[in-house]
C-alpha cells in the first residue's frame, strides 16, 4: 500500500494559482480579438458536445421503454430513438473535433508568444547568468515549460471543465429523476474516486521520479565507462564496470516493478469504487422498478450516465499528474523569466553618438564576485584613431576590460567613457553597434560561411560579404571551396581550421565596420605562420580605427602606438615598446622571459 503522502501546503497551491494567472494573458491576448472569438467558439462547442452527451441516455431510455410494449407504432418510435442516439453520438464526436480545430490556433499562439518572450528575456540577461547556468539546462526548462502549456490547456479546458459540467448536470438529473439518495451515493463515489486517485498518483509520481533518477544513473555509468574505454582496459576494470552498471540497472528494474504494480493497484481501486456505485445505483433502479416507480429503460438510463461520467474520470490520475507537472514546469520557466536583469538601460537613455572614437577608463573598480576585486581603480585613455595594446600576466584583468566595454557587466565604481559619454547613460544597442571584436575563440553559427560573415550587420548583402572576405584575406579559401560562400562550417565552425575561423571572424567585424575594434588575444591559439598572416590582416583592418589589442604574446603588439601593462588589476606601466624596455620594469621582464622561451624552443627544434 502507498505510504501517507503529505498534501501540498498553502504555498505550493498559491504557486500553482500564481502560475496560471501569469499564463492567462497569453491565453486571452488583449491585442488579438480573433483569438478571443476562437476561445468563445471553443467554449460554445464544448457546451454543445456536453449537451448532446447528456441527452443521449434519454434517447436510449426511450428506445428501451418503447421496446417493452407491444409491437406496432412502438417499433417505429424505438427505431426513431435509436437513430437519434446514433446521430447524437456522431454529433458529440463532431463537436469535439470542431472544438479542437477552432482552439488549435489559440493554443499554438499562446505557446509561441510565451516561448518568444522567454527567448527574448534570456538575451537580455547578463553574461554572469549565462556563465553560471548550463545552456542545456536552460533550454530544457524552456522546452518543458512551453510543451506543458498545450497539454495543460487541453486537459483543463477539454477534460476537467466538461467533467465538472457533466457532474453538475448528472446530479440535477438524478435528483429530479431518482431522488437525493442516488445523488448522494454518486457524489460520495466521485469524491472517494478522486481522493484515492490523487493519493496513489502522488505515490506513483515519487516512484516515477526515482525511476528517472536511476535510469539516468545507469545511462551515465554506461556512457562514462564507454568514453573511458581505454582507461578501463589499462586497469583491467571490466568486471568492476559491469558490476557498477548492473547495480544501477537492478535498482531501476526494482523501481520499475513497483511503479507498474502501483498502476495495477490504482486500476483495481478505481474499478472497485466505480463498480460498487454501479451495482448500488442499478440495484436501486431494479428495486424501484419492482415497486412500479421506474421503467426498464431507467436501468439503462442510470448505467449510461454513470458510464459516461466515469469515462473521463478514468484519466483522472494521468490528468492530475500532467497538470501538476505542467504547473511545476511552467513555474520554473516563469522563474527564469523573473531573473533580475543585472545590466539595464537607464530610463530615456539616448543612443551613443561618436565623432572621435576615444576610450577612457576612469578609476574603474570591478570584480565578478564581491569578495574578489579584479580591477582596482584602473585608469587609462585610448585616443581616437590610435592602436593601443593591453598586456600583463594571467589574471591581471585584460579580458575583463573587453567585457566591461561591451557592458556585459557594470563597474562597481568609476566610469567608462566613449567619446566623452558614460556608457551607462546610453543604450546598450548603440554601444555594441560601435564596437567590433575578434575574440580568442571565434565561435561560428552552424550555417554557411556567407551567413557567418553577413551576421556582422543586419541587412548585409553579397557585395558586403565579398568585400569583407577580401579584406580578411579569405577569398583564396572560398574560391577553393566547391560551394564557395554556401559552404557549411559545422557546429561552432569545427569544419574550419583555427586560422580560417579567425579570418571569418575578422570578415564579420569588417561587415559591421565599427569605429572601435577590440582584438582579444585573437592569435594566441594559432601556429606561428598562421599567426603572422592573421596579424598582417588585423593591422590592415585596424587602420583608421581606434583599436585595443589584448595580447599575451608581446611580439604581436610591439608596434602599437601605446602599450598599457596591467598587474593585479592596476596599471603598472604605460609607453611604447622601446620606452618600456628601457624602463626595465614588468614589461621588460615579460619580454625577456618570452624571448628566452622562444630560444629554448628553437634550440630544441635544432
Amino acid at each position: 500500500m502507498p505510504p501517507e503522502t503529505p498534501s501540498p501546503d498553502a504555498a505550493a497551491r498559491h504557486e500553482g494559482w500564481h502560475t496560471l494567472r501569469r499564463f492567462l494573458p497569453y491565453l486571452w491576448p488583449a491585442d488579438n480579438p480573433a483569438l478571443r472569438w476562437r476561445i468563445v467558439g471553443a467554449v460554445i462547442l464544448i457546451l454543445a458536445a456536453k449537451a448532446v452527451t447528456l441527452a443521449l441516455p434519454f434517447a436510449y431510455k426511450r428506445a428501451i421503454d418503447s421496446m417493452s410494449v407491444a409491437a406496432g407504432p412502438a417499433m417505429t418510435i424505438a427505431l426513431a430513438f435509436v437513430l437519434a442516439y446514433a446521430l447524437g453520438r456522431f454529433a458529440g464526436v463532431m463537436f469535439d473535433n470542431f472544438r479542437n480545430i477552432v482552439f488549435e490556433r489559440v493554443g499554438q499562439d499562446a505557446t509561441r508568444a510565451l516561448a518568444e518572450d522567454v527567448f527574448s528575456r534570456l538575451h537580455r540577461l547578463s553574461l554572469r547568468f549565462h556563465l553560471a547556468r548550463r545552456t542545456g539546462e536552460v533550454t530544457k526548462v524552456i522546452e518543458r515549460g512551453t510543451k506543458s502549456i498545450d497539454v495543460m490547456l487541453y486537459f483543463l479546458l477539454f477534460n476537467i471543465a466538461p467533467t465538472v459540467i457533466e457532474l453538475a448536470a448528472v446530479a440535477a438529473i438524478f435528483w429530479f429523476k431518482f431522488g437525493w439518495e442516488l445523488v448522494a451515493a454518486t457524489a460520495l463515489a466521485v469524491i472517494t474516486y478522486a481522493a484515492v486517485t490523487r493519493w496513489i498518483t502522488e505515490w506513483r509520481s515519487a516512484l516515477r521520479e526515482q525511476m528517472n533518477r536511476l535510469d539516468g544513473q545507469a545511462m551515465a555509468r554506461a556512457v562514462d565507462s564507454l568514453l573511458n574505454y581505454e582507461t578501463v582496459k589499462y586497469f583491467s576494470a571490466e568486471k568492476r564496470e559491469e558490476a557498477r552498471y548492473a547495480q544501477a540497472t537492478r535498482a531501476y528494474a526494482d523501481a520499475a516493478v513497483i511503479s507498474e504494480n502501483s498502476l495495477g493497484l490504482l486500476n483495481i481501486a478505481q474499478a472497485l469504487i466505480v463498480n460498487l456505485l454501479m451495482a448500488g445505483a442499478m440495484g436501486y433502479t431494479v428495486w424501484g422498478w419492482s415497486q412500479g416507480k421506474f421503467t426498464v429503460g431507467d436501468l439503462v438510463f442510470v448505467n449510461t450516465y454513470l458510464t459516461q461520467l466515469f469515462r473521463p474520470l478514468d484519466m483522472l490520475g494521468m490528468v492530475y499528474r500532467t497538470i501538476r507537472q505542467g504547473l511545476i514546469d511552467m513555474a520554473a520557466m516563469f522563474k527564469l523569466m523573473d531573473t533580475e536583469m543585472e545590466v539595464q538601460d537607464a530610463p530615456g537613455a539616448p543612443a551613443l553618438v561618436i565623432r572621435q572614437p576615444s576610450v577612457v577608463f576612469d578609476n574603474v573598480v570591478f570584480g565578478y564576485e564581491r569578495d574578489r576585486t579584479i580591477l582596482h581603480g584602473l585608469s587609462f585613455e585610448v585616443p581616437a584613431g590610435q592602436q593601443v595594446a593591453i598586456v600583463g600576466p594571467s589574471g591581471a584583468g585584460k579580458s575583463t576590460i573587453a567585457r566591461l566595454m561591451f557592458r556585459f557587466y557594470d563597474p562597481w565604481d568609476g566610469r567608462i567613457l566613449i567619446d566623452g559619454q558614460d556608457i551607462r547613460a546610453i543604450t546598450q544597442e548603440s554601444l555594441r553597434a560601435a564596437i567590433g571584436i575578434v575574440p580568442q575563440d571565434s565561435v561560428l553559427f552552424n550555417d554557411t560561411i556567407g551567413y557567418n560573415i553577413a551576421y556582422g550587420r543586419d541587412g548585409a548583402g553579397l557585395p558586403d560579404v565579398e568585400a569583407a572576405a577580401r579584406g580578411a584575406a579569405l577569398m583564396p579559401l572560398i574560391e577553393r571551396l566547391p560551394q564557395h560562400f554556401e559552404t557549411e562550417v559545422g557546429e561552432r565552425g569545427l569544419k574550419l581550421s583555427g586560422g580560417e575561423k579567425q579570418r571569418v571572424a575578422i570578415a564579420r567585424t569588417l561587415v559591421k565596420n565599427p569605429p572601435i575594434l577590440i582584438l582579444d588575444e585573437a592569435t594566441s591559439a594559432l601556429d606561428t605562420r598562421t599567426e603572422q598572416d592573421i596579424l598582417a590582416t588585423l593591422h590592415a583592418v585596424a587602420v583608421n580605427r581606434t583599436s585595443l589589442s589584448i595580447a599575451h604574446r608581446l611580439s604581436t603588439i610591439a608596434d602599437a602606438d601605446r602599450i598599457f601593462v596591467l598587474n593585479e588589476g592596476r596599471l603598472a606601466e604605460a609607453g611604447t615598446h622601446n620606452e618600456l624596455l628601457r624602463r626595465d620594469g614588468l614589461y621588460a621582464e615579460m619580454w625577456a622571459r618570452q624571448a628566452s622561451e622562444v630560444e629554448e624552443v628553437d634550440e630544441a627544434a635544432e
Side-chain angles (χ1 to χ4, degrees), residues 141-158:
V141 168
I142 298 172
E143 180 187 3
R144 286 173 177 164
T146 52
K147 281 187 175 181
S148 66
I149 293 169
D150 203 34
V151 178
M152 277 185 57
L153 284 177
Y154 183 86
F155 283 135
L156 284 172
L157 297 177
F158 304 152

Side-chain angles (χ1 to χ4, degrees), residues 35 38 100-112:
L35 286 184
R38 282 180 173 270
N100 292 341
I101 292 170
V102 169
F103 192 80
E104 183 62 26
R105 172 58 60 184
V106 179
Q108 291 297 333
D109 268 34
T111 304
R112 173 195 57 77

Side-chain angles (χ1 to χ4, degrees), residues 489-508:
V489 302
E491 189 172 0
R492 299 175 64 85
L494 294 178
K495 290 184 179 180
L496 302 180
S497 69
E500 290 164 351
K501 284 170 61 178
Q502 289 296 75
R503 291 190 187 279
V504 172
I506 294 168
R508 184 163 60 189

